[in-house]
């Protein structure tokens, strides 16, 4: 049982299905995984790689190459 475990890159994990994970509204100081989708000011953003969002007052449109804007929500 792997409930509550986070994949760590070891050989015990295998990707079965890839896709986007909708996380809701953007939040500061939050760990985002590659392919996470967040909303901010009516626009959806896709995490291009695993990262911790910037501190207070940050916005996904200022996260550089870590977040990519999708179409208007």
């Amino acid at each position: 049982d792997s409930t509550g475990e986070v994949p760590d890159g070891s050989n015990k994990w295998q990707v079965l299905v890839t896709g986007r994970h909708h996380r809701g509204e953007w939040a500061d100081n939050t760990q985002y995984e590659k392919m996470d989708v967040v909303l901010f000011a009516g626009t959806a953003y896709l995490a291009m790689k695993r990262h911790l969002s910037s501190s207070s007052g940050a916005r996904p449109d200022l996260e550089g190459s870590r977040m990519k804007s999708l179409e208007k929500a």
Side-chain angles (χ1 to χ4, degrees):
D1 181 22
S2 60
T3 301
E5 290 188 43
V6 176
D8 58 8
S10 68
N11 290 331
K12 73 177 185 177
W13 296 96
Q14 177 183 4
V15 176
L16 299 177
V17 177
T18 60
R20 297 177 178 169
H21 180 230
H22 295 266
R23 300 281 304 269
E25 292 293 323
W26 168 262
D28 296 336
N29 294 316
T30 300
Q31 183 70 49
Y32 290 110
E33 303 295 329
K34 184 176 181 179
M35 300 303 289
D36 280 353
V37 176
V38 297
L39 294 175
F40 180 79
T43 300
Y45 291 86
L46 178 66
M48 302 306 292
K49 57 184 165 182
R50 185 174 193 254
H51 71 282
L52 179 66
S53 64
S54 302
S55 60
S56 181
R59 302 176 356 198
D61 57 331
L62 301 176
E63 288 288 303
S65 63
R66 297 179 289 188
M67 300 296 287
K68 177 183 175 184
S69 173
L70 300 176
E71 66 275 345
K72 289 284 184 180

